[in-house]
Structures are given as structure tokens and as C-alpha cells.
Amino acid sequence: MQKEKVWKEIVRELGKDLDQTSLSSWFSSLKLKSLDKNTIVIEAPNRFVFDWVKHHYQDKLLRAAKGVVGKNIKLQYDINPGQGLEPDGPVRPGSLQAPAPIPGKKTRRPHPGLNPKYTFDNFVVGRSNQFAHAACLAVAENHARNYNPLFIYGGVGLGKTHLLNAIGNHLYQHNPRKKIICSQAEEFLNDMIHAIRSEKIDAFRKCYRKECDVLLMDDIEILAGKERTQEEFFYTFNYLYSAGKKIIITSDKFPKEMTTLEERLRSRFESGILVDIQPPEFETRLSIIKDKAKKDQIFIPDNVAMYMAERIKSNVRKIEGCLIRLSAISSISGSPITEELVEEVLHAILDDDETRLTPEKIIKVVSSYFKVKVSDLKSAKRNRKYTVPRHIAMYFCRELCKMSFPEIGSFFGGRDHSTVIHSYRKIGIEKNTQIEISRHLDALKRKLRVVD
Ligand code: ADP
Ligand code: MG
């Protein structure tokens, strides 16, 4: 993978710790000069930036670099005044350039309020998101006047923000005079509070009402329970709506589920069209992985792409994070991208909760695999149809959850710990002597590792 991508990922990691101003003031002028197994060399445009970054951000930078390329990495710096910025000149905070235009047929600069990376072209369509995609495209192409407002609902990392920006980018590319506002609902809330405090509420209203042909409002769920902001949004909404302006809203909850949403706002949201995005199914996940790998020039063998698609079930953002890290680690260590490497990376990026196995999950997965009921596994039934899955589930509780034998016994309907020890030992032996048992164990291990 190119150095630029590793650097971009490090900066993204830093973004979790730093605000946007610090990031753009200091890190936009740095470059990754080189990287090998042990060292990353960072190039600063002048001594001032070098001193500042080293003095203020060394620890954070190192932590971010370790997060991306591995624990044993060290940082070195180099100063290169020929890098493009004024040598030793002052560094202007916030002087980050607007992102470069999207290469391709259109040369128009991107809209400053939109993320140019998110377009319809690079959105992979599958069963899980086809309606949302079609509705967004129809709105962007002006085919659907009555799709107003368009309300996009879906879980985290499934492409809501992507589609919202794709609508904005499409509209803007076709009609640059359109006044588009793309805002997080949280921004709306903060702007409003600020406007009230500084007695500029008229200017705030003018901005959202008069200066707007298309309102793209992301993550509206944040307004739940915030009455004053809801009220302000309600009037903004009505103003735009009755003037025939487009309103597109995203949320991780359906209007009905937002219990502290005022009724009048809820009925407004429901008055247009609601589309949802479901977690992508296997084929879509695989296409997304292949698409992104191709775009980023990362070589992923087919079996590994399939393995990733099996392992990461419900969050496209995590698929992306995993790909970037895989490629960073493999380019530094020179090792190929394998299923084992995927496993390592997943453990580093997924939350504990997502990788942690629980006895509940084990018993659920085992019972559905053997097509028996959970209650049968916990029961005293002694038919082989139940004892084999029961013993296997107990074995996994010990091996993968490190539960004690008495804990396992009580989880499986109050059995004595000596019974559990017997079952555990039995499977321990049979996995080496009975091919069928070892096949079941392998298949189940794969299923148990699935993240959802
Ligand atoms: P959300 O807003 O729903 O939390 P995002 O729109 O931020 O999710 O998506 C997370 C990441 O996954 C983004 O980088 C986005 O480009 C990518 N992504 C999500 N769905 C798709 C898809 N169907 N095709 C391509 N990329 C996708
Ligand atoms: Mg989002």
C-alpha cells in the first residue's frame, strides 16, 4: 500500500483524539516519508512545525501509528523545506486546503460542505440497500417530487451518510447554483445554541431557511429529547417544505422509535417516504471488499476476501478499517494477506463486546447449527441428537469463554460439575479421533467468530 494511505489512516486515527482545527493546522502539512518494519519517518515542512508536533503531539501520533501499523513501530522525523509550504514561514491554523476535486469526467470543484468521496458511483448496491439507493438516486435526479422529505433509516456504518452526500454531490455537479446545506443534526443544535447566546438567531434562521434549496440533515436522532431544537427544526422544516425545497434526513432510528420526538415532527418525517438500509448480505459485503481493495490497489486473495465477508457482518466502516490495516501491516512486514492476518487485525479493531463470546451466543449458534432447541440443550434429554450438541456447547464454553466447570453446569440447567468435566474431556478426545466431531467443531468455530 502507498505511504499516503498509511498516513491518511494514521491521521484518521488521530482524529479520534484531536479536534479538526489541530488536525488540519498541524497534520495536513506533514507527510509520511518512508516506512519499514520498525520505523516510520515523518516529514515536516519546517522546523517550527516539527518542533510543535514533536512537543505537543508525539505521544498521540505514536499511539495512532501503532494502532495502524503495529505495536513495535518507532517514529522519526525529517525536515524538508522543499515540500511545498513556505519554508520556516508561519503556519496558519485552519489552512487546510479543500479536498481535491474527484478525478474523472467532471472537473468542478467539490461542494465545500459535502464529502466528495461519497458518490453514487462508488456505492455498492445489494438487496439490503437497493430501495434506499433507488430513492436517493430518484431524489438526486429530480424524478421524485413527492419523495419529500426522504427519510433514510439504518444502523451504524451502513451507508446513510454516504447516500446523503451522494445526493448532494450529484445535485451540485448538475446544478452548482443550488444552495445545498449538509449538516449533522448536532451541528444544527450547536449553531442554534450559539445563535441564541450571541443574539443572532435571525441570521441562523436566514441561513437555514433562505440560503437553502436542499437540506441534507444527518443523524436526526440526536434531536430526540431536545425540545427547543426540535421546535426550531420544525419551523425550518415547514418553511423549506412549503417553499418546495428538498429535505433529506438520516437517522439510526425510525421516527416511531424516537419516543421523545414531538408528534408534529414525527408526522412530518413520516409524510414523505421512508427507506431503510439493512445490514449487507454476504454477496454485497464481498463486492464492497473487492471494490474498495481494487480502488485502493490492495491485493486480497479471493479466499481472504470471502473470509472477511464472513467475519464482519454488519458494519461497512469496519470492513474499510480492516482493509486499510491489513494492507498497511502486510506492506510493512512484507507478509501476504491471509485469513490469520485478518483475524489479528479484527481483534485489534473490533470492540471487545463484538469479539467477546458469551455462553448465550455459543448455545444459540450450536443449537441452530444442529437444528435443535436451546431448551433441549439445557434439558436432561439423553438422546444422542441432543447429547452431542450439548457436549460441544459445553466444550466451547470452557475453551472459548474460560468458564469454570460449575459455572457451565449451572448454565446448562443445573448439572453437576463432574458431568461437565466428563463431557469436556470426551469432546477433547473425540476431536482427534472422530472426523465428524472435528468437522463440527471447525464449522462451529467459524460461525462463532462471526461479528454481528
Ligand atoms: P452511516 O452514516 O450509516 O453510519 P456511512 O455512510 O458513514 O455509514 O458508511 C460507513 C463507511 O462505509 C463509509 O466510508 C461508506 O463509504 C462505506 N459504505 C457503506 N455502505 C457502502 C456501500 N453499499 N458501498 C460502498 N461503501 C459503503
Ligand atoms: Mg453517518
Side-chain angles (χ1 to χ4, degrees):
M1 181 168 69
Q2 300 100 324
K3 293 175 293 185
E4 290 75 23
K5 295 225 180 72
V6 176
W7 180 239
K8 229 167 107 183
E9 186 61 12
I10 293 176
V11 173
R12 199 159 83 167
E13 193 71 28
L14 271 166
K16 294 179 186 164
D17 263 352
L18 298 177
D19 60 60
Q20 193 55 39
T21 316
S22 321
L23 265 191
S24 55
S25 306
W26 301 109
F27 293 91
S28 62
S29 62
L30 299 179
K31 270 209 235 161
L32 194 72
K33 188 175 178 195
S34 66
L35 71 160
D36 62 29
K37 266 188 197 161
N38 311 312
T39 318
I40 282 184
V41 181
I42 288 168
E43 190 172 82
N46 54 45
R47 177 153 291 282
F48 177 64
V49 173
F50 160 73
D51 284 341
W52 188 277
V53 169
K54 192 152 189 317
H55 193 241
H56 292 87
Y57 299 114
Q58 166 79 3
D59 291 349
K60 289 192 165 71
L61 188 53
L62 185 61
R63 198 174 328 130
K66 283 182 173 175
V68 174
V69 293
K71 285 198 195 95
N72 299 323
I73 207 79
K74 293 197 179 60
L75 285 184
Q76 277 180 11
Y77 296 90
D78 193 14
I79 299 171
N80 176 12
Q83 205 192 281
L85 294 178
E86 320 89 290
D88 291 316
V91 181
R92 300 177 302 274
S95 63
L96 182 68
Q97 296 294 306
I102 318 161
K105 11 179 188 144
K106 310 223 169 63
T107 49
R108 187 165 290 138
R109 289 185 75 77
H111 185 285
L114 294 166
N115 188 334
K117 258 179 35 196
Y118 295 154
T119 63
F120 285 114
D121 286 347
N122 60 18
F123 189 81
V124 176
V125 184
R127 223 172 345 123
S128 54
N129 57 28
Q130 62 187 8
F131 291 120
H133 173 264
C136 290
L137 197 59
V139 167
E141 290 182 338
N142 287 320
H143 296 320
R145 292 202 172 280
N146 51 350
Y147 286 11
N148 206 24
L150 171 62
F151 190 100
I152 310 167
Y153 152 86
V156 176
L158 296 186
K160 300 182 296 294
T161 302
H162 188 134
L163 282 175
L164 192 73
N165 279 267
I167 297 176
N169 282 320
H170 189 284
L171 285 166
Y172 183 70
Q173 292 298 327
H174 289 84
N175 185 354
R177 279 194 299 274
K178 272 232 177 325
K179 289 179 267 177
I180 300 172
I181 294 187
C182 182
S183 173
Q184 298 268 333
E186 194 171 2
E187 251 174 273
F188 182 88
L189 178 128
N190 290 336
D191 286 355
M192 188 195 81
I193 294 174
H194 183 73
I196 294 173
R197 285 215 189 108
S198 52
E199 297 180 354
K200 288 189 179 135
I201 194 76
D202 288 342
F204 169 82
R205 285 180 182 149
K206 181 162 175 261
C207 164
Y208 275 97
R209 297 179 195 179
K210 301 261 169 53
E211 306 292 330
C212 178
D213 297 319
V214 182
L215 179 63
L216 304 164
M217 186 61 74
D218 210 0
D219 299 325
I220 197 86
E221 71 277 354
I222 196 109
L223 296 194
K226 313 217 167 56
E227 285 134 37
R228 176 71 181 87
T229 323
Q230 284 186 27
E231 187 184 341
E232 192 63 40
F233 187 71
F234 178 77
Y235 289 118
T236 302
F237 183 103
N238 281 352
Y239 187 96
L240 295 174
Y241 184 80
S242 47
K245 312 291 187 187
K246 282 185 206 294
I247 304 164
I248 300 104
I249 293 165
T250 76
S251 168
D252 68 4
K253 292 195 179 64
F254 258 132
K256 270 202 189 66
E257 291 168 4
M258 290 193 254
T259 43
T260 47
L261 190 69
E262 271 190 63
E263 195 47 46
R264 56 182 181 169
L265 207 45
R266 188 196 325 267
S267 69
R268 287 291 187 285
F269 290 167
E270 289 171 347
S271 67
I273 180 161
L274 283 99
V275 286
D276 72 338
I277 310 184
Q278 292 293 325
E281 60 286 357
F282 178 78
E283 291 76 8
T284 312
R285 300 198 297 274
L286 192 60
S287 305
I288 292 175
I289 292 168
K290 291 195 166 172
D291 235 56
K292 298 210 184 275
K294 191 165 156 209
K295 203 176 97 251
D296 292 345
Q297 296 172 330
I298 302 170
F299 175 72
I300 296 237
D302 274 354
N303 66 315
V304 180
M306 286 171 80
Y307 184 71
M308 269 181 77
E310 264 175 34
R311 285 285 277 116
I312 314 178
K313 272 206 149 170
S314 63
N315 188 327
V316 182
R317 195 173 293 130
K318 288 190 174 157
I319 293 182
E320 288 182 336
C322 180
L323 265 178
I324 304 238
R325 275 159 209 235
L326 276 176
S327 121
I329 293 173
S330 111
S331 76
I332 287 171
S333 63
S335 52
I337 297 184
T338 58
E339 293 183 9
E340 288 71 36
L341 198 57
V342 171
E343 208 44 54
E344 258 175 52
V345 167
L346 280 180
H347 267 274
I349 64 169
L350 296 174
D351 305 339
D352 272 359
D353 273 1
E354 287 172 284
T355 46
R356 215 186 63 224
L357 267 181
T358 57
E360 286 79 11
K361 177 158 183 185
I362 290 178
I363 200 162
K364 208 171 113 199
V365 170
V366 172
S367 61
S368 96
Y369 174 84
F370 284 105
K371 302 196 174 50
V372 292
K373 290 198 203 116
V374 168
S375 56
D376 287 334
L377 293 195
K378 291 191 175 187
S379 76
K381 291 182 185 167
R382 302 196 53 85
N383 186 320
R384 195 173 150 76
K385 185 176 162 208
Y386 306 119
T387 53
V388 172
R390 184 182 300 136
H391 293 165
I392 289 182
M394 287 176 169
Y395 175 82
F396 279 137
C397 284
R398 176 73 186 174
E399 282 289 291
L400 305 177
C401 297
K402 309 285 173 233
M403 287 165 78
S404 71
F405 293 119
E407 273 171 346
I408 300 174
S410 91
F411 183 73
F412 281 83
R415 287 181 152 73
D416 189 70
H417 75 278
S418 59
T419 321
V420 181
I421 294 176
H422 174 75
S423 312
Y424 172 73
R425 292 211 178 123
K426 191 163 173 305
I427 298 295
I429 294 168
E430 287 177 354
K431 79 175 190 232
N432 299 318
T433 55
Q434 294 191 20
I435 187 86
E436 204 187 331
I437 294 289
S438 104
R439 279 216 195 102
H440 288 324
L441 292 181
D442 284 348
L444 276 163
K445 256 191 215 157
R446 276 187 166 238
K447 289 192 185 294
L448 284 167
R449 287 180 141 173
V450 157
V451 178
D452 58 14

